[in-house]
Each structure stands twice: as C-alpha cells, then as structure tokens.
Amino acid sequence: MVEVPHLPDSVAPLFPDVLRESLVNLRRDLHEHPELSMREERTAGRLHAALEALKPAELHRVGAADGVTGLGLIARIRGRDSGVPPVAVLGDIDALPIQENTGLPFASRNAGVMHACGHDVHATWAVGAAHLLTAEPAAGDVIVVLQPAEETGSGALVILESGALDDAAAIFGAHVDRRFEIGQVVAEAGPLAAAADTFDIELIGAGAHGARPHESADPIVGTGALIGALQTIVSRRLNPAHPAVVTIGTIHAGSAHNIIPGSAKISGTLRAVDPDTRRFLHEELRRITESVAATYRLEAKVELGLGPPPIVNPQGAAGWAREAAISVLGAEAVVPLGTLNMGGEDFAHYMERIPGCFMRVGARERGGEPIPAHSPRFYAAEESIFVGAAVLAESARVASRALAQGA
Ligand SMILES: [Zn+2]
Ligand SMILES: [Zn+2]
C-alpha cells in the first residue's frame, strides 16, 4: 500500500484503501510518463483502461475520425433519473516541454517533458470523481471528460466539436495550486483566469557582413528596440487599474559572430481579464511593432493567435461549487482567491457554451513551498487528488440536484 499522508478527515472515508492506492499509482504512472499536447497516446490509453474498469454507461474516445485513437475520453456515469440533464466534470491530461527537477521518486522518464502544471493530478482526480459518482450517483448523468492539449489551448475545442457536451447543463473543473494548502479550495464567482493570446513577430531587414552594418538593415538592433518598446504597453499606455501582461517568451536570430542576419523573430503571450483590455493589447502590439520596424527600416510581420477568453465564474454555478466544497471540507476550507490570476485556462471555451465553475484546489503540503506551476520543481502534493475528486463529484451532485428541482 502506498502511503497517503494527511487526507482531510472529511475526505478520507470516501476513499477505501484499494481506491486510494489505485489513484496514487495512476497519478505516479502518469507523472512518470508525461506526454506533450496532442501526443497523449499512452496517457489516454492508461486513463481509458482506468475508466473502463468502472464499467460506465458509455465510454468513448473523441478527437479522431475513427472513434478509437482520439486523445479525449468521455465517460458517462448514470444518474438516478434519466429525465435530469447531464452535468460534466473535467480533467486535463497534457504535460509541458520542461526538464523535470523535482527529485520525486516517480519523476519524468521522458527527457525534456514534465507534468509541471499538475495535469497528472487533474486526470487522476477526474477518474476519482468517476469512482465516487459510480458509488453514489448524482440525480442526473455525469459526463466525465478527460481532455488533451490544455497547454496549447486547443483541447477544449476538440471535445466541444465532438458534440459530447451538447446536452450538458453545467460543467466543473479545477486546477491544483501550491499557493493554497491541502484542504483549501477556491470556489467563487468572478474572474478566475485571464485571456491568453499569443503573438509571433518577425522583423525582416537586409543581411550583411558584420563589419559593414551600413550595408544592412539590422533586424537584431530593431528587435532590441522593439523588446523595450513593448514593455511600455502595460507600463505607460494602459490604465494601471486594468490588469494585463505582455511577456516575450522566445527570441531567435542569427547564425554567426560576423553576420548580420536577414530577419529576427520573437514570440510571446498577452494576458487580460476584460475584453476591452484584450483588444487594446492587440492594437498596441501591432502599432508599436509597425512603428519600431519603420524606424529601423525593417518590415514587420505580426501574427496574433486568439487563445482562450477569460474565465469569469457566474454566480449560479459558482454557488453550486461553493456549496459542494463546504459540504466536503467545511466552511473554513473555502478560501478567497485573494489576487487576480493572470494564467489562462482553455476551460474558458466550455464556459462560452455551458455555465460552469472553475476552482483552485490547494496542493501544498503543510510546511511546503508555494512552487509556481510551469517550474521544473513544481509538483502537486498527492493528497490534492482526493480533495479534487471529492469536490468535483460533489459539485456535480449539487448542480444535478438543483437542475432536477428546476432551480
Ligand atoms: Zn499549464
Ligand atoms: Zn494547467
């Protein structure tokens, strides 16, 4: 039996030893074999087997035309009353291109790939929720979704396009968060994640010998100026009361000490929690890039990629999630987010179509550090699997009960 320390008292009785061990083993196995977005073949196979063992009313794979090799999984857990519209709970399954440095005994065996965002735990708690909802069904059916490719912002659309959630009346998801201790949950109305758009910029000049810069139009110097100028969108142009982030994540140019290259590329991410700020970032990024390029006699190519919109939890579904978290963990466990989260979540795509609530689930062991997600040292404390599973299952039950009563 693997050891799972410190399960909150109210959660522990929900998980018999056999289930506890199988969920911990599942999580460790997923963590040890992380796969990048849209390459989650092994992960999807492992999760399919875990769900199949539960004999759900329906289980299928989505995202591929053959219905067999798709990386998304949909399991339908029967409720007590077929007249109640189904609700959905979701876990994402993909990993990141990061070399793990956690020192965990089940650290990644895939060089340069790591579960640095805790999706190993999210996948496992969705399976755990399927167990709990099989043991104690909701009023209506619950659709358990395992989603690939959250990190690239495309997986939610794969699930939605499959039609699997066309009849879902509510959806719940959550993210591990080491800023909060095990047993703490954020389940509240209002903004919970930011819009996460991408940009790719190429500055095209004229290459030349490094000794004769006057014969070039140097894209490296232009890019240097552009990097500085883009910092002024948030610091000088935007109203400081409106939160936003402009981050340049890659920069590439050149091939040798003495060659001025013909072009240079940068890419990055734009974050905002309201539509006007989001639009403003796009406009300013284009305006500044084009004017800096002109100053340095360069041509600018700007490509904006629309990522997920912000998540703003509506009152109704947030109330269901909050009621569920209180009933599972007690009122003192439900804590405020406290600060705006500028991370993006493609769960927002679901919430454009289905009312829902996205939660944060504490993943820091007592006395542990608040290691940020996407860091090579990030891991979620194992107990978070059980808190997440219990809160998601109960959220589905509370929502389903309210829908059954016509609330
Ligand atoms: Zn992430
Ligand atoms: Zn994540």
Side-chain angles (χ1 to χ4, degrees), residues 133-387:
L133 288 159
T134 303
E136 189 192 333
D141 289 0
V142 178
I143 302 166
V144 176
V145 181
L146 286 157
Q147 182 210 298
E150 191 284 325
E151 294 291 354
T152 51
S154 57
L157 299 172
V158 169
I159 301 289
L160 284 167
E161 279 158 20
S162 78
L165 295 177
D166 284 0
D167 59 348
I171 185 164
F172 298 92
H175 207 292
V176 289
D177 194 328
R178 287 189 60 97
R179 289 171 300 180
F180 302 99
E181 259 189 15
I182 288 296
Q184 293 183 317
V185 172
V186 176
E188 62 191 22
L192 209 97
D197 300 328
T198 59
F199 62 87
D200 286 273
I201 295 174
E202 182 173 15
L203 294 186
I204 302 158
H209 196 294
R212 290 185 282 278
H214 58 287
E215 292 171 1
S216 79
D218 188 342
I220 288 187
V221 175
T223 300
L226 178 61
I227 290 168
L230 292 178
Q231 308 312 309
T232 66
I233 299 175
V234 173
S235 70
R236 302 292 84 185
R237 289 281 297 137
L238 188 67
N239 180 336
H242 297 174
V245 181
V246 175
T247 286
I248 295 160
T250 71
I251 165 167
H252 290 108
S255 57
H257 292 81
N258 58 352
I259 300 172
I260 294 169
S263 76
K265 293 179 180 176
I266 60 173
S267 71
T269 185
L270 304 172
R271 305 296 168 104
V273 289
D274 68 83
D276 288 345
T277 303
R278 190 182 190 191
R279 212 166 18 249
F280 181 83
L281 296 182
H282 295 177
E283 287 164 8
E284 283 297 286
L285 183 94
R286 276 191 195 283
R287 188 185 66 78
I288 291 175
T289 302
E290 278 158 15
S291 59
V292 169
T295 303
Y296 288 83
R297 299 180 302 117
L298 304 165
E299 182 199 337
K301 281 190 187 163
V302 182
E303 274 178 38
L304 283 164
L306 284 189
I311 290 182
V312 183
N313 287 334
Q315 289 287 347
W320 291 332
R322 187 177 178 81
E323 183 184 334
I326 290 173
S327 104
V328 170
L329 297 159
E332 68 289 348
V334 182
V335 296
L337 183 60
T339 179
L340 213 48
N341 170 34
M342 299 309 284
E345 276 297 330
D346 81 346
F347 193 83
H349 288 301
Y350 298 107
M351 289 184 50
E352 287 185 305
R353 306 251 296 263
I354 308 163
C357 183
F358 196 74
M359 296 172 262
R360 312 290 299 183
V361 169
R364 186 179 85 235
E365 57 284 305
R366 205 173 290 275
E369 287 176 69
I371 307 163
H374 291 211
S375 141
R377 293 176 54 239
F378 180 85
Y379 66 96
E382 211 133 58
E383 299 87 328
S384 61
I385 299 166
F386 303 93
V387 175

